[in-house]
Amino acid sequence: MTEQLTFDGAQQMAEAMAARFVSEAQKAIAARGRFVVGLTGGSAAKTLYPTMLGSPCDWSRVHFFFGDERKVPPDHPECNFRAVRDAWLSKPQGVHIHAVHTELAAEAAAEEYASELAPFLPFDVVHLGMGPDGHVASLFPGHPLLDEKKLDVSWLGDSPKPPPVRITVTLPVLAQARQLWFLVQGAPKAEAVRAALKDPSSKLPAALAHRSAKQSVWFLDKPAAAQL
Ligand code: 6PG
């Protein structure tokens, strides 16, 4: 099932996403005692997460993981965990943040993260920002990682988007999630949004994730939705 939600601006999108987050959290906590969410990196974290993290929620039942992480130290400006931590207007009381241990070698960090994540799968919701090339998490067009069918978490050393070394969830983990939320802003992404939503033959990672999803919710600003 696909929902396509278009917004005039970032704040309107942030408020709508936060409201949906609170609603889905309540349902997941009532049903399973916890709410397991994969967070995105990139601009979505900066523009949308402050409102989400400031929302009323039973945070002690929320488990945040990262759909991908760059292999940089936790205090590095390129670190996705740091971007979320910086988005906290005040740290949500009791929330569980499962950061990737990027001090380990990439393969070891991926293996350890997969072990930490396994008992929490399937995700209730995975947030996916999307690059203009249609990448999601650190799954890039034409990359061999798109063919990974066994591992839940893997790594790459040749990311076309710097920094080059990253740890990422794989397409099978996204396909098992209860919901994928695509959080996309900006005109440069309009063509990839069109391909993902309208071209059944598209091999873009966003298209592959969307077509395999149990439920897709697209949060779009008007420029990103311009070719729909
Ligand atoms: C990352 C992100 C990545 C991001 C897209 C979009 O770690 O880089 O997880 O998948 O969501 O590159 O990034 P922007 O929203 O900044 O364009």
Side-chain angles (χ1 to χ4, degrees), residues 141-210:
H143 198 283
L145 270 185
L146 296 179
D147 300 322
E148 177 56 57
K149 297 285 184 273
K150 291 199 184 67
L151 297 174
D152 293 335
V153 181
S154 191
W155 67 281
L156 64 161
D158 57 353
S159 168
K161 175 180 179 183
V165 186
R166 292 160 169 252
I167 290 90
T168 184
V169 296
T170 58
L171 286 175
V173 168
L174 299 181
Q176 292 158 16
R178 292 185 171 89
Q179 296 183 36
L180 298 183
W181 294 5
F182 295 84
L183 309 173
V184 189
Q185 298 165 271
K189 303 175 183 187
E191 170 47 33
V193 168
R194 185 204 59 76
L197 279 168
K198 302 293 182 194
D199 177 359
S201 67
S202 173
K203 295 285 184 275
L204 294 181
L208 299 174
H210 167 66

Side-chain angles (χ1 to χ4, degrees), residues 39-44 67-70 78 80 128-133 135-140 161-162 166 183 185 189:
L39 298 177
T40 183
S43 63
D68 66 335
E69 183 56 282
R70 296 86 175 275
E78 288 285 345
N80 286 340
L128 295 171
M130 186 187 75
D133 63 353
H135 81 260
V136 292
S138 286
L139 300 168
F140 291 91
K161 175 180 179 183
R166 292 160 169 252
L183 309 173
Q185 298 165 271
K189 303 175 183 187

Side-chain angles (χ1 to χ4, degrees), residues 1-5 20 179-183 215-219:
M1 184 177 105
T2 299
E3 288 177 72
Q4 189 182 306
L5 310 170
R20 186 68 176 265
Q179 296 183 36
L180 298 183
W181 294 5
F182 295 84
L183 309 173
Q215 183 177 353
S216 279
V217 187
W218 286 76
F219 292 79

